[in-house]
Amino acid sequence: MANNIQAIRGMHDVLPEQTPLWQYTEQILREVLGCYGYSEIRLPIVEKTELFKRSIGEVTDIVEKEMYTFEDRNGDSLTLRPEGTAGCLRACLEHGLLHNQTHRLWYYGPMYRHERPQKGRYRQFIQLGVETYGMSGPDIDAELILIMDRLWKKLGIRDKVRLELNSLGTIAERLVYRETLVNYFQTHLACLDEDSLRRLKTNPLRILDTKNPAMHEVVANAPELMAYLGEDSLTHFTTLTATLDDLGISYVINPRLVRGLDYYSKTVFEWVTDELGSQGTVCAGGRYDNLIEQLGGKPNFAVGFAMGIERLLALLENSESIQLNSVVDVYMIRVGVQAEQAGFRFAETIRNELPGLKLQVNCDGGSIKSQFKKADKSGALYALILGDDEVSRGVVSIKSLRNAQDPQQTLNQAQACEFLMHAYNKG
Ligand code: ATP
Ligand code: MG
């Protein structure tokens, strides 16, 4: 017999028992974004490879070694999106959405990176991305942080994440700093690992982002970018922190927070947890005004963030406060030929009357005992029982599956609907 084909390493199925938590989380994400007036945008999963090279930058981890790139049948180089920011901006430029307008957008879906799979790090993972365009001030930076803060609170995990903040200044400010930083590391070459020696030439700021504990000290003593910021960048940053103070949102300034991507300027932030080991960043983002021109647009403003949903769910998994929706509320047992037909009809009537109720009808027959077993396994609170005898009398029996004390009742169809309406309060 042939071997079973298995899923690709690092790409996971979400099984039915896991989907309620996903759906619950997705609903809260939508609600929170909705209450700030953000619109959804839906984007392709595949883009031209050039888009990511030009936006993310050639010397980033993503472009250097993580992209799923392939040749289309006509020879074009295409890439499965490793993130959403580039595609979202590409779409807005292409459709002329950035001309004299502001936008507050979100998207949700899979991203692809060829990384070494481990807990919290997959090759296909889901991100919520939020992007805003056309707003230059620190107030929109603060609004994004407010959204995330509200999300954590609604999901009951505010105490599990902390906000880390930094400013990367402008390109010009960063260039001056970069030189100082390179000089500093040149005098400490012996402390650098292989990756950092390479980055010293390509992307020295990324050295600050190292996860190698042996380099902790050399990085901790490195000069700080904050000291190289001009007045405009500094005011932007201090206005943002003052706004957060006023709103009561706590944060930690992390001078070594540089983010992996090249396109950020001024504000950058991450929401970090200590509960997920080294995959502790749940959400990250910042301002990336320069990317718009880099992709051929007129000078403009952009700030956004992306949240890793698998990491978020890992934080929610042990949460006791979350009440997930049941998949089945009521299970209908049908015994006998007439009962099967009448049961199907009655089930449709119930669904018309109580649209929110989840009613599953037993299919493929079986003894009443085996149908009760299935009813119990479905998670339903009540079983509706229809035999040919009930059908001829125009009634149905209702039995609680969770409380043995509740007596079984026999009601006519209208009374049964009423009973279910009260039991589920969904009328
Ligand atoms: P990391 O430092 O963990 O590699 P990153 O800087 O590459 O993260 P971003 O590109 O900023 O991540 O993506 C935003 C968020 O998406 C991350 O904070 C994380 O929650 C999630 N994320 C990124 N890569 C993965 C992955 N391979 N698997 C699961 N989630 C991921
Ligand atoms: Mg990464």
Side-chain angles (χ1 to χ4, degrees), residues 113 115 120-122 125 127 211 259 281-282 284 306 308 311:
R113 297 185 194 178
E115 303 199 69
R121 192 173 296 286
Y122 310 108
F125 59 98
Q127 272 186 351
K211 297 196 168 104
R259 308 286 307 114
T281 306
V282 183
R311 293 186 193 176

Side-chain angles (χ1 to χ4, degrees), residues 4-131:
N4 289 343
I5 297 172
Q6 302 204 322
I8 297 166
R9 212 163 98 82
M11 304 203 181
H12 294 287
D13 304 305
V14 179
L15 298 178
E17 64 176 41
Q18 302 164 316
T19 48
L21 185 61
W22 281 81
Q23 291 171 347
Y24 169 85
T25 307
E26 287 159 358
Q27 191 185 334
I28 290 196
L29 295 175
R30 276 169 202 275
E31 276 172 20
V32 170
L33 289 157
C35 81
Y36 288 82
Y38 281 60
S39 309
E40 183 183 3
I41 181 166
R42 299 192 180 191
L43 304 158
I45 284 170
V46 187
E47 298 271 2
K48 290 181 182 160
T49 304
E50 185 57 25
L51 175 70
F52 302 115
K53 286 197 174 168
R54 228 208 275 177
S55 58
I56 298 170
E58 300 260 7
V59 291
T60 54
D61 282 354
I62 293 180
V63 173
E64 275 181 345
K65 52 188 190 205
E66 295 174 359
M67 293 206 303
Y68 277 92
T69 296
F70 60 97
E71 214 171 81
D72 197 359
R73 287 179 192 277
N74 56 12
D76 297 334
S77 179
L78 306 182
T79 294
L80 298 184
R81 62 182 186 192
E83 51 105 59
T85 300
C88 187
L89 190 49
R90 193 264 317 132
C92 289
L93 287 169
E94 186 170 333
H95 297 285
L97 299 193
L98 297 194
H99 186 64
N100 281 338
Q101 301 168 43
T102 60
H103 285 283
R104 291 169 159 91
L105 305 174
W106 65 269
Y107 49 84
Y108 180 90
M111 306 294 160
Y112 300 84
R113 297 185 194 178
H114 197 274
E115 303 199 69
R116 191 171 69 78
Q118 51 196 293
K119 190 172 162 50
R121 192 173 296 286
Y122 310 108
R123 291 182 174 171
Q124 175 183 288
F125 59 98
I126 307 288
Q127 272 186 351
L128 166 74
V130 177
E131 316 285 357

